[in-house]
């Protein structure tokens, strides 16, 4: 198999496999009430005092309208909460609850294991090459936005 075909096959299959395997790894018995997509929204909300809907939607590259449906579900299931700004009551912040923070760390652990598996397979001098390669791939995808 030539190099081009090998790289193409890896890339095409890798994205689907990551999405599928991530879902199996993170949607455990404890988190069976949410989806893989919900986990990525939890990740985008992040830890701390919270973000507004526009900031979260921008991180996910989706519309606020699309995010609203998922957010309603996460609030209902007690993974996130809405908090009105004291300064401007029109502004609503989204913050993870204790349950949401636990889910955030669960998802983060999967990503850590995935990253560690890749880095541990490389020699020290190979890591910068991988970072350069992945940055090039990320730039390619950003050019399609």
């Amino acid at each position: 198999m030539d190099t081009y075909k090998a790289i193409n096959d890896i890339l095409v299959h890798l994205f689907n496999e990551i999405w599928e395997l991530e879902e199996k790894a993170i949607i455990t018995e404890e988190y069976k009430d949410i989806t893989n997509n919900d986990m990525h929204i939890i990740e985008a909300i992040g830890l701390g005092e919270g973000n507004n809907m526009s900031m979260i939607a921008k991180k996910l590259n989706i519309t606020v309208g699309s995010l609203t449906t998922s957010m309603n579900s996460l609030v209902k299931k007690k993974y996130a909460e809405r908090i009105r700004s004291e300064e401007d009551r029109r502004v609503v912040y989204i913050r993870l609850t204790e349950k949401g923070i636990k889910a955030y760390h669960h998802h983060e652990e999967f990503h850590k294991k995935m990253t560690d598996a890749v880095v541990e397979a490389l020699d020290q001098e190979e890591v910068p090459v991988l970072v350069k390669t992945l940055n090039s791939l990320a730039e390619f995808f950003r050019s399609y936005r």
Side-chain angles (χ1 to χ4, degrees):
M1 180 182 297
D2 67 30
T3 304
Y4 175 85
K5 183 161 177 29
I7 292 170
N8 183 64
D9 286 350
I10 291 168
L11 289 175
V12 168
H13 293 102
L14 186 61
F15 295 115
N16 291 331
E17 288 174 15
I18 289 172
W19 186 259
E20 191 178 297
L21 292 174
E22 182 182 43
E23 185 168 6
K24 288 178 184 173
I26 62 176
I27 306 303
T28 61
E29 184 66 26
E30 184 175 4
Y31 301 106
K32 66 182 177 187
D33 62 334
I34 58 176
T35 65
N36 202 22
N37 189 53
D38 290 334
M39 277 291 196
H40 288 107
I41 293 169
I42 287 169
E43 179 182 41
I45 295 168
L47 304 175
E49 295 303 307
N51 287 310
N52 64 36
M53 291 284 284
S54 296
M55 292 173 74
I56 297 166
K58 187 175 180 180
K59 280 184 186 179
L60 295 165
N61 199 31
I62 61 174
T63 66
V64 173
S66 296
L67 179 60
T68 299
T69 304
S70 296
M71 196 57 66
N72 289 342
S73 174
L74 287 173
V75 168
K76 183 178 177 183
K77 294 173 186 173
K78 308 235 184 288
Y79 285 92
E81 60 186 347
R82 290 182 170 95
I83 300 162
R84 290 215 175 267
S85 168
E86 294 297 322
E87 295 82 36
D88 184 346
R89 301 294 292 163
R90 296 171 297 175
V91 177
V92 178
Y93 293 100
I94 306 297
R95 182 172 63 194
L96 295 177
T97 61
E98 200 171 308
K99 184 178 180 181
I101 291 169
K102 191 174 176 188
Y104 177 95
H105 287 301
H106 175 68
H107 186 218
E108 181 181 52
E109 182 62 24
F110 172 80
H111 283 221
K112 183 182 181 325
K113 286 178 183 177
M114 179 177 63
T115 303
D116 286 348
V118 171
V119 173
E120 288 170 3
L122 301 174
D123 295 329
Q124 197 67 20
E125 61 274 0
E126 292 174 314
V127 174
V129 176
L130 176 63
V131 170
K132 180 180 178 183
T133 303
L134 292 175
N135 276 327
S136 294
L137 187 59
E139 284 299 316
F140 169 77
F141 287 126
R142 284 186 200 110
S143 74
Y144 276 90
R145 285 187 181 173

